[in-house]
Structures are given as C-alpha cells and as structure tokens.
Amino acid sequence: MTVDEMRRELQRRLKKERFAHSVGVANTAVKLAKKFGVDETKAYVAGLLHDCAREFENDALTAEAIKRGIEVGEIEKSVPLLLHSYISARMVTEIYGVDDKEIIQAIYRHTVGAKNMTPLDKIIYFADMIEPNRNYPGVDKLRTLAEKSNDLDEIILTAINESILFVIQKNALIHPATIDARNFLLVNSE
Ligand SMILES: [Fe+2]
Ligand SMILES: [Fe+2]
C-alpha cells in the first residue's frame, strides 16, 4: 500500500475525530523526525497508523487481542484500552501491509513506553501527547519544550513524568513498562 492508500483506508475505518488525531500525530512526528534526524517516512506512517486498532470499541479489544495470540497481562485485564497499542502493531501488517520492524515497535510502545526506546519510539510517544488536537492542562508546556529543547531524552522524560503524574492523580494503575522507560532514561542520562 502507498502512504496515500494507507491514509484513505484508515479514514474509512476510523471515526472522524480519531482519524484527525492520527493525521495530527503523523504530521507532528514528521516535524520531530526532521529535528532529531529520524526517518521522516517511518515517522509519518507510524504516527498515522499508531491508533488503527481504535476502529474497535473498547469492550472488543480483549477478544481482538486473544484472537491474535497477544498476551493479556494483569494490567491489561483491568485496563483493556492498553491493548489497542499491541493490536495496532499487528493490524499495520494485517491491513496496511507494513512490515517495517521499527514502525511496528514504535506503535507497540506508544501508550506505556518501554525500556530502551529508540528515537522513533520516543517521537511517536511524544507526538501522540502534543498533536494539535490534544487539549489538556500541561499540553502547552510540552509543546514549548518540544520547540525549545534539542535533547530528545529530556523531552521524553518530561512526557513520561507527566503521564505518570496524570495516572497517579486518577489513582489508576501504572504500567511497569512506563517505570522501566523512566528508570532507563534516568540511569542512562548523563
Ligand atoms: Fe493510542
Ligand atoms: Fe493516539
């Protein structure tokens, strides 16, 4: 599939707002890719398709995961929405014909993060938080940081801290992968 065909197929499958969010993430990811020397096409495709499994309603996600042999862990049992990242990482191949491992991994990791994230993983995680349709307290602070900082690790660490603070405020579960992501950044930053 060409990138244009991917975009048309995605538009057909997603609700209007979800599609607009996806295009916002794709465009934001390209800007960040330019700034940080990451492959712009990969950034665009990963951003565009990161939420492709959101074509399913939340209560269908567990069944869709099981159908694909995706392990449903303790946290995912209680927060099935998290499964959309792992299902999206499969659907990019199933539906959109993407077999690039870096794109697949960035999509897989976009919600909870992971230890040892690649620049592409970081860009997609962050673009998802700041794309122009996003509106929440603190988003402008992150957008400003993205413009001012030349340090992708500083940007992603701030973003992960914000995510963890948000989850704590809601008294919700913190995924261990998010803690791994944060610890790895702290241990490996100079
Ligand atoms: Fe997502
Ligand atoms: Fe998203």
Side-chain angles (χ1 to χ4, degrees):
M1 245 187 223
T2 66
V3 174
D4 279 341
E5 286 166 343
M6 288 176 194
R7 198 171 41 237
R8 272 197 296 275
E9 183 65 19
L10 188 74
Q11 185 166 27
R12 204 176 64 73
R13 288 172 172 267
L14 293 187
K15 293 204 177 91
K16 211 170 153 221
E17 298 71 39
R18 183 65 50 189
F19 178 71
H21 163 69
S22 302
V23 173
V25 174
N27 291 330
T28 305
V30 169
K31 275 190 207 160
L32 292 166
K34 273 199 184 108
K35 178 166 177 172
F36 293 107
V38 170
D39 185 302
E40 292 172 35
T41 306
K42 288 190 190 199
Y44 188 89
V45 171
L48 184 72
L49 299 178
H50 78 288
D51 270 345
C52 66
R54 294 299 290 271
E55 70 173 65
F56 301 118
E57 299 296 333
N58 291 354
D59 57 11
L61 289 173
T62 302
E64 291 296 330
I66 291 168
K67 203 162 93 182
R68 292 171 173 82
I70 295 168
E71 196 197 335
V72 181
E74 279 302 310
I75 310 260
E76 288 80 5
K77 262 189 201 129
S78 129
V79 192
L81 184 61
L82 297 176
L83 294 168
H84 84 275
S85 314
Y86 320 142
I87 302 168
S88 295
R90 296 292 188 85
M91 287 174 72
V92 286
T93 312
E94 291 167 17
I95 312 278
Y96 300 90
V98 174
D99 58 7
D100 183 280
K101 288 200 169 59
E102 292 175 17
I103 294 176
I104 292 170
Q105 176 177 286
I107 293 175
Y108 187 93
R109 294 177 160 183
H110 87 263
T111 309
V112 294
K115 195 175 170 176
N116 200 5
M117 292 167 86
T118 64
L120 183 64
D121 297 343
K122 291 171 187 169
I123 281 173
I124 299 304
Y125 183 97
F126 192 65
D128 192 26
M129 290 180 78
I130 63 156
E131 65 91 10
N133 298 290
R134 288 286 202 200
N135 184 15
Y136 55 87
V139 69
D140 283 327
K141 196 179 100 183
L142 292 177
R143 285 182 182 132
T144 307
L145 179 69
E147 268 165 38
K148 294 213 169 123
S149 176
N150 290 314
D151 181 351
L152 186 55
D153 280 348
E154 180 196 16
I155 291 173
I156 191 78
L157 182 59
T158 307
I160 286 175
N161 283 341
E162 290 293 322
S163 302
I164 293 175
L165 288 168
F166 177 72
V167 168
I168 287 175
Q169 272 170 9
K170 288 198 304 177
N171 207 25
L173 295 166
I174 304 176
H175 198 287
T178 310
I179 296 173
D180 285 344
R182 183 174 185 273
N183 286 343
F184 187 88
L185 285 162
L186 287 174
V187 169
N188 292 286
S189 68
E190 62 279 11

